[in-house]
Amino acid sequence: MIGIVFATEAEAAPFLASGDFRAVAAAPFQVLASARSPHCVAISGMGKVSAALATQWLIREHGCDRLVQAGICGALGDPRDFAAGEILRITFASEGRPGPGIPAEAVACAGDLWPDLRPATLVTVERPVFDDALRAELRQYGELVDME
């Protein structure tokens, strides 16, 4: 089964509208599934820890053997480089500036999946990025930023 983790219901809504998804669990995460789909969806809540816990939950409790983190991200460079609503394939992800517990190298993602989608690199952070100086710093590590 393929597990898809969204941070919020608003992020999941367009995907959930495409099928007859029904709630199969409410705690510790809202989990939805469809009899007609090989997908199981979890709404994790915002942040890296919540996303990691929901991912583990889908693997352990719902038997997911492939996982997708889906949702909204922001552009670190010129926002015109990406179209609003564009679906992208993340090829590398990092946590930005290396430091204690933060590796210097970006992690390769399953870049062979969905080859027709435009590739991009992602930086994941703890808080929203509203500061131009931080955005410029993070740009050296990736093209996009998210919190999950």
Side-chain angles (χ1 to χ4, degrees):
M1 179 174 296
I2 300 169
I4 305 173
V5 179
F6 291 94
T8 68
E9 289 183 28
E11 289 177 326
F15 180 80
L16 295 174
S18 71
D20 62 341
F21 287 88
R22 304 278 186 252
V24 295
F29 303 98
Q30 182 180 1
V31 178
L32 303 105
S34 167
R36 300 182 318 188
S37 171
H39 306 98
C40 186
V41 174
I43 311 297
S44 67
M46 293 175 63
K48 292 190 270 187
V49 172
S50 295
L53 291 171
T55 298
Q56 291 173 353
W57 184 258
L58 287 178
I59 293 168
R60 190 179 65 239
E61 300 298 325
H62 297 278
C64 294
D65 57 4
R66 182 168 288 186
L67 290 146
V68 175
Q69 175 65 43
I72 298 169
C73 60
L76 288 169
D78 187 337
R80 294 173 294 188
D81 290 344
F82 299 97
E86 184 176 5
I87 299 173
L88 303 163
R89 173 176 47 101
I90 302 303
T91 53
F92 289 91
S94 77
E95 294 189 61
R97 182 186 321 133
I102 300 175
E105 299 295 321
V107 175
C109 301
D112 59 336
L113 298 175
W114 304 296
D116 295 338
L117 295 178
R118 180 175 160 199
T121 56
L122 177 77
V123 180
T124 187
V125 296
E126 294 290 334
R127 295 180 184 87
V129 178
F130 297 116
D131 179 70
D132 288 338
L134 177 57
R135 188 176 291 111
E137 177 190 333
L138 293 174
R139 197 171 316 144
Q140 65 186 305
Y141 303 106
E143 301 164 289
L144 304 170
V145 64
D146 82 344
M147 294 176 16
E148 288 82 36

